[in-house]
Amino acid sequence: MGDVFVVIEHRQGEIRDVNWEMLNLASQVASDFGGEVVSVLLGSGVDDIADQLAGASSKVLYVDDPVLENFNADIYQKNLSALIDEHKPTIVMIGHTAQGVDVAPALAVEKDLPYLTDVIELRGEGGKPVAVRQYYQGKVNAEFSFADADTYILTIREAALEPIEPAQKGSVEKVEAPAKEEAEHRKFVEYVEAEIGDVDITQSEMLIGVGRGVREDKNMPMIEELAQVFEADLCGSRAAVDAGWLPHDRQVGTSGKSVKPKLYFAVGISGAFQHLAGIKGAKTVVAVNKDPNAPIFAEADYGIVDDLFKVVPKLVEELKEE
Amino acid sequence: MKMSVENQSIIEKLDLLGCIQCGRCTGGCPVTVRTNLNVRRFVYDAYQASLEDLMEELAQYSEIWDCTGCHTCAVRCPKGLKPVEVLYSLRNQIVESGKVEPTVRDALESVFLEGNPWGKPKATRFDWMEGLEVKTAEEGQEVEYLFYVCCSVAYDPKLQVVAQNMVKILEKAGVDYAFLGEEESCCGSEVQALGEEELFMEVQEENVELFSSYPAKKIVTLSPHCLSALKKYEGLEAEVIHYTQLLAELIDEGKLSWEGEFPKKVVYHDPCYLGKQNEVYDEPRQVLKSVPGIELTEFDRSRERSLCCEGGGGKMWVETESQQERLAETRARNAKELEAQVIVCACPFCILTLDDAVKAVGYEEEMEVMEITEILGKVL
Ligand SMILES: Cc1cc2nc3c(=O)[nH]c(=O)nc-3n(C[C@H](O)[C@H](O)[C@H](O)COP(=O)(O)OP(=O)(O)OC[C@H]3O[C@@H](n4cnc5c(N)ncnc54)[C@H](O)[C@@H]3O)c2cc1C
């Protein structure tokens, strides 16, 4: 009783970011429920992952069985169900991801437990959870309390919380798989890797966006240098791609890609509606444009109204000195 | 040979047996200069495939996404078929299987959730009205002209001027008009082009119901894309026209005239959705000719031969990779040969493509791209 289960999502030997975020949240609230943080790892031959998790949880409950080699919601559900019965955690956190929402609702229905999705905040009050999720496309935050139960199932939003810094040495407990049979209806078929170019700009944390204002191919080395000092990837407007300065898969916008970097640095981009649609997810937007009326400034957190051919070299110089 | 029921219906629905494989469709298809799309081939293969259940395989060809929905193929078909719809049906297979580009997925989802493909909140659809006195429709009260603002015009700051100027023109003409309230929602033109037929049906049903609560003699669209979509609606009672048709009539009846001058040489670009698909060729020209000082010239490829700008058919969300220059750039070069100072047009999508093209070929300093209402706004 009182423990916080964090159901670990992994794929092809890699732990997804949402796990570290859930572990951070779990470590903040575990004491509210009077328990510990327990990573629940289902897989086959994933000792490495169990070790990594031990650095960020009090305990790793580790089920290793060939039947768990690939994710299968039915098999996960059976095993999680049995583990919940045995260990009676107060909270079960599952990532609000494609995998997570495949298992969590069925699990909650099967066990008739209170269930809340896409949670962004959590605390315990009197041993019971109080959680926050959003309404109306993020315009309203709503706080939820729950009916009395021994266990509560929550899916946690990705990228909404800070990841944990692994700093402890938890125990690892390997247990027999409670359910070993193959699933009746679902079968794992194959992994299909997403086709990507050399850089997948949708995953980049720092992006320099290049626009028509850069004028000519021969000015690109200057921008590339800026990208280097920023440790950023390059992307651009349709105009920049059409001009041949960047490959097609670097186009941002309605007919390109949607990006969500921490920093989007727009150089010589006017900020057409079709371009801005692709940078909605950017945390901070900085724009350099010589036209003070360029629509990009309406979207930008910081704007520099000046000639990019003056600004960019200066920036490179300054950043290099640092 | 096994004939699946589903595919058989494609043969019947699109009358594929009527095709004589003459090739006029591909011969006139504007995008063939940029891509490998061969629509005649798809008509042939779809017919064969439907016999052998290979539609899914056909849908894998990426060229099906190169079509701009201009309908040149349909205009040229001597048998009255619509080859373009074979491509839309193949897109439908992809959409149904869920394997679409994220951009397409997002646009469709946004239509479903927010009533527009731009990912914008429904609640801000009428922000363009700010600072203007606009008559809005009241439930159950009939107006003569009910205006339907396109999603692009409503949300894209570059295009909002079309609706804003429209209001000023209507006030000047003193006609009985109203714009729909916040309830207006996407017409589904691009939804259908992207192959999401089921969503289109849903959009149609909701819109027909909406229009029945706001009765009007005529529904007037600002975009030819909405015009095409609304005209397809089953169960819509009011007549649907494009705004240029209304303005031409008002000018003709002497109810609308201009104070200022627009002394520039302009060339009119026929939007495919207005011309080829709805045969509205004369009215936009009539409106332009009524503007004092204007010199109207014509592209060699005009009216039913007009060169597509590549803005329709869902292309706003799907890029065509090609080494060849965009058709809109060719259009800009043609305009330069004619020494036109302005390319004028009556479609929001054409405005976007042509405007970008004029910059891409470096004519920004000497040539403008304007919507008809932008010119009218200067001579009010
Ligand atoms: C069907 C369709 C789909 C589209 N899809 C996309 C898409 O996915 N992504 C996309 O980006 N666009 C898309 N567009 C194009 C979009 O409408 C714009 O035309 C395009 O984004 C403009 O690119 P830009 O900002 O680089 O160029 P411009 O709009 O030409 O802007 C260049 C900017 O650079 C500034 N500038 C010039 N010189 C300097 C200097 N020396 N110093 C500082 N600033 C300077 C100028 O002030 C100007 O603001 C699409 C258009 C259509 C029709």
Side-chain angles (χ1 to χ4, degrees):
Chain A
M1 286 295 278
D3 285 346
V4 178
F5 268 22
V6 175
V7 179
I8 299 302
E9 183 170 337
H10 57 99
R11 193 156 54 194
Q12 310 245 282
E14 287 203 28
I15 311 183
R16 308 205 39 184
D17 291 346
V18 65
N19 299 296
W20 305 117
E21 294 153 13
M22 288 195 289
L23 285 167
N24 196 12
L25 180 64
S27 71
Q28 289 163 23
V29 301
S31 61
D32 290 359
F33 303 105
E36 295 188 316
V37 178
V38 182
S39 289
V40 179
L41 175 64
L42 308 182
S44 172
V46 277
D47 295 333
D48 276 3
I49 295 184
D51 279 346
Q52 287 179 57
L53 292 167
S57 27
S58 310
K59 183 170 141 186
V60 181
L61 197 56
Y62 170 18
V63 183
D64 194 324
D65 195 282
V67 76
L68 292 165
E69 174 158 5
N70 291 297
F71 172 80
N72 182 314
D74 292 345
I75 303 173
Y76 259 57
Q77 185 184 336
K78 284 200 186 113
N79 283 286
L80 288 173
S81 175
L83 291 173
I84 291 171
D85 286 342
E86 191 185 336
H87 297 270
K88 302 203 168 21
T90 301
I91 303 288
V92 178
M93 289 185 185
I94 300 178
H96 193 76
T97 59
Q99 279 191 17
V101 298
D102 212 359
V103 195
L107 185 64
V109 170
E110 178 205 318
K111 310 198 76 62
D112 195 18
L113 293 174
Y115 173 52
L116 188 68
T117 58
D118 207 14
V119 168
I120 57 168
E121 280 174 39
L122 175 70
R123 61 178 193 273
E125 272 176 19
K128 278 178 63 177
V130 177
V132 175
R133 65 158 298 168
Q134 298 190 312
Y135 275 151
Y136 303 117
Q137 296 213 323
K139 291 182 193 67
V140 174
N141 282 7
E143 206 169 82
F144 286 76
S145 52
F146 296 79
D148 284 326
D150 292 335
T151 301
Y152 304 86
I153 300 186
L154 310 173
T155 63
I156 310 295
R157 176 174 299 182
E158 270 183 289
L161 305 153
E162 291 297 314
I164 195 167
E165 296 289 339
Q168 48 179 319
K169 193 78 199 114
S171 59
V172 177
E173 183 187 342
K174 200 161 173 170
V175 299
E176 270 294 293
K180 286 172 180 287
E181 59 277 21
E182 293 284 348
E184 212 176 318
H185 301 297
R186 277 190 229 229
K187 228 171 58 207
F188 169 79
V189 182
E190 62 170 331
Y191 268 109
V192 184
E193 284 286 346
E195 273 178 49
I196 42 169
D198 52 344
V199 173
D200 179 4
I201 55 169
T202 65
Q203 300 302 320
S204 300
E205 297 219 324
M206 302 279 269
L207 281 171
I208 308 275
V210 179
R212 181 146 40 217
V214 170
R215 280 211 300 258
E216 287 182 80
D217 207 4
K218 72 174 185 18
N219 298 326
M220 282 302 284
M222 174 186 85
I223 306 292
E224 280 156 16
E225 205 179 351
L226 180 69
Q228 245 170 26
V229 293
F230 264 124
E231 293 178 23
D233 294 320
L234 283 178
C235 62
S237 69
R238 192 178 88 161
V241 170
D242 274 9
W245 306 334
L246 292 165
H248 178 76
D249 59 12
R250 302 287 182 100
Q251 180 176 323
V252 171
T254 51
S255 56
K257 302 227 159 84
S258 288
V259 296
K260 46 177 175 33
K262 288 193 176 131
L263 174 70
Y264 188 79
F265 195 96
V267 186
I269 289 182
S270 64
F273 194 65
Q274 293 70 32
H275 186 77
L276 297 183
I279 61 170
K280 270 196 307 200
K283 281 228 169 73
T284 304
V285 175
V286 180
V288 185
N289 196 308
K290 65 178 182 188
D291 172 10
N293 296 318
I296 187 83
F297 288 126
E299 203 69 19
D301 301 283
Y302 301 93
I304 305 169
V305 182
D306 208 341
D307 184 349
L308 71 91
F309 296 101
K310 284 198 322 222
V311 176
V312 172
K314 261 247 138 4
L315 259 175
V316 171
E317 204 180 297
E318 291 279 323
L319 285 164
K320 270 192 174 160
E321 271 173 25
E322 281 190 15
Chain B
M1 250 188 256
K2 193 173 104 247
M3 195 184 279
S4 91
V5 178
E6 200 177 316
N7 292 337
Q8 188 184 14
S9 76
I10 288 177
I11 298 187
E12 276 171 15
K13 193 173 132 208
L14 305 180
D15 200 13
L16 298 187
L17 287 170
C19 173
I20 54 171
Q21 287 289 302
C22 68
R24 279 181 61 98
C25 46
T26 299
C29 174
V31 298
T32 52
V33 299
R34 300 196 66 223
T35 86
N36 292 330
L37 177 63
N38 178 348
V39 64
R40 176 198 58 77
R41 182 82 213 213
F42 274 104
V43 174
Y44 182 78
D45 286 349
Y47 169 64
Q48 298 294 324
S50 60
L51 294 174
E52 293 175 26
D53 233 352
L54 293 172
M55 288 297 275
E56 255 177 67
E57 216 172 289
L58 265 193
Q60 304 304 320
Y61 287 91
S62 62
E63 299 104 275
I64 65 168
W65 296 99
D66 292 338
C67 170
T68 61
C70 72
H71 281 61
T72 301
C73 54
V75 171
R76 287 169 60 97
C77 178
K79 303 280 285 182
L81 308 185
K82 290 187 174 156
V84 47
E85 292 188 354
V86 171
L87 301 174
Y88 286 1
S89 299
L90 292 171
R91 290 179 181 182
N92 182 248
Q93 302 251 337
I94 300 279
V95 171
E96 292 269 286
S97 72
K99 289 183 197 144
V100 288
E101 292 285 320
T103 46
V104 173
R105 179 201 60 207
D106 293 349
L108 293 172
E109 190 178 278
S110 169
V111 170
F112 182 67
L113 293 173
E114 298 289 335
N116 73 82
W118 298 113
K120 290 283 168 182
K122 201 172 175 59
T124 60
R125 190 175 181 100
F126 281 81
D127 282 5
W128 65 265
M129 288 185 181
E130 215 176 285
L132 272 179
E133 288 266 340
V134 184
K135 294 196 182 81
T136 49
E138 285 178 36
E139 227 176 308
Q141 289 208 357
E142 191 179 74
V143 287
E144 197 147 355
Y145 304 108
L146 182 67
F147 274 77
Y148 188 81
V149 183
C150 156
C151 300
S152 306
V153 173
Y155 290 106
D156 189 338
K158 193 176 164 57
L159 298 168
Q160 287 171 340
V161 61
V162 175
Q164 288 158 348
N165 283 1
M166 199 66 224
V167 171
K168 294 178 194 157
I169 295 165
L170 292 168
E171 287 292 338
K172 183 179 162 96
V175 294
D176 179 26
Y177 78 91
F179 281 74
L180 273 167
E182 244 179 42
E183 283 171 75
E184 185 183 292
S185 141
C186 181
C187 69
S189 157
E190 302 309 285
V191 169
Q192 193 175 39
L194 289 168
E196 195 17 319
E197 190 62 26
E198 287 69 23
L199 181 57
F200 177 76
M201 291 306 208
E202 219 174 295
V203 164
Q204 160 180 296
E205 196 177 315
E206 281 170 17
N207 280 335
V208 168
E209 200 182 312
L210 179 73
F211 284 124
S212 73
S213 327
Y214 295 95
K217 290 232 170 62
K218 288 182 184 175
I219 297 170
V220 189
T221 71
L222 298 186
S223 163
H225 290 248
C226 309
L227 177 71
S228 276
L230 263 55
K231 278 192 159 180
K232 282 185 202 154
Y233 285 2
E234 279 170 31
L236 187 63
E237 275 168 20
E239 187 190 345
V240 188
I241 60 170
H242 185 247
Y243 81 84
T244 53
Q245 295 175 284
L246 171 62
L247 295 191
E249 193 182 304
L250 292 173
I251 290 164
D252 203 36
E253 291 169 354
K255 290 183 185 153
L256 196 56
S257 58
W258 316 111
E259 315 283 332
E261 284 200 351
F262 193 75
K264 287 194 176 170
K265 186 166 183 180
V266 311
V267 60
Y268 175 68
H269 164 82
D270 284 282
C272 299
Y273 280 69
L274 191 60
K276 296 183 191 96
Q277 291 177 39
N278 289 294
E279 294 180 1
V280 179
Y281 296 113
D282 295 325
E283 291 88 337
R285 291 177 167 83
Q286 265 166 266
V287 174
L288 285 168
K289 281 182 192 153
S290 76
V291 174
I294 209 165
E295 187 188 343
L296 180 64
T297 166
E298 292 284 349
F299 282 117
D300 171 43
R301 293 189 66 172
S302 69
R303 301 176 73 97
E304 37 293 275
R305 290 178 57 244
S306 174
L307 182 64
C308 173
C309 78
E310 296 187 83
K315 294 302 291 176
M316 202 56 76
W317 297 277
V318 192
E319 201 58 79
T320 288
E321 268 183 87
S322 170
Q323 297 305 316
Q324 303 303 318
E325 93 173 354
R326 291 185 190 276
L327 301 182
E329 292 170 20
T330 309
R331 213 53 174 162
R333 291 185 200 284
N334 296 156
K336 166 107 167 177
E337 285 159 18
L338 294 168
E339 295 174 356
Q341 295 160 286
V342 180
I343 304 179
V344 61
C345 183
C347 168
F349 287 5
C350 297
I351 294 292
L352 295 175
T353 51
L354 292 168
D355 191 66
D356 200 56
V358 165
K359 289 183 195 156
V361 295
Y363 301 159
E364 209 179 342
E365 305 292 325
E366 55 201 288
M367 192 186 287
E368 275 181 280
V369 175
M370 294 174 90
E371 220 277 347
I372 293 182
T373 51
E374 285 185 87
I375 293 183
L376 300 182
K378 293 200 185 295
V379 296
L380 266 177

